[in-house]
Amino acid sequence: MRCDVDFHRFVYEESGNPLLGETAEPHWVYLRRVMAEVLRRAAPGPEIWLQHEEILAAIVRGDENGAAALALSHVEGAADRLSAALAAGDGSATRN
């Protein structure tokens, strides 16, 4: 979980846009909860870390559009997997 949060914060910091981190900060209490549930319930396996690697590689290459597309796919995929996992389970992740 800590590595996941660290990666996302690193991307915000390296973007050169201080507003990204500032606007995300109030949401981190909720984002951490969702990220933990994705890791726990949606069983992304090594795929999630490979996605981080691809996003970072695109950033390093200076491929802004590629990085944005990969980041969007990363977030949407996690949301889809979590939604499916919650629909298949008892929904306890939403009651804490």
Side-chain angles (χ1 to χ4, degrees):
M1 180 65 202
R2 187 174 341 126
C3 291
D4 201 10
V5 171
D6 288 349
F7 174 77
H8 287 258
R9 283 191 166 148
F10 172 78
V11 170
Y12 298 161
E13 290 169 10
E14 293 303 310
S15 74
N17 182 348
L19 291 177
L20 285 178
E22 289 174 25
T23 56
E25 193 59 39
H27 305 285
W28 271 106
V29 67
Y30 307 107
L31 292 170
R32 276 192 292 275
R33 183 175 176 191
V34 169
M35 292 163 82
E37 291 302 325
V38 167
L39 293 173
R40 184 174 322 148
R41 293 180 177 267
E47 177 184 341
I48 198 167
W49 312 118
L50 293 173
Q51 292 169 355
H52 283 182
E53 187 176 321
E54 292 170 350
I55 293 165
L56 182 59
I59 292 169
V60 169
R61 286 195 304 275
D63 181 3
E64 295 173 14
N65 292 332
L70 289 165
L72 182 60
S73 177
H74 173 68
V75 171
E76 288 177 341
D80 290 345
R81 284 190 305 277
L82 181 57
S83 293
L86 291 173
D90 65 359
S92 63
T94 60
R95 288 195 292 254
N96 292 330

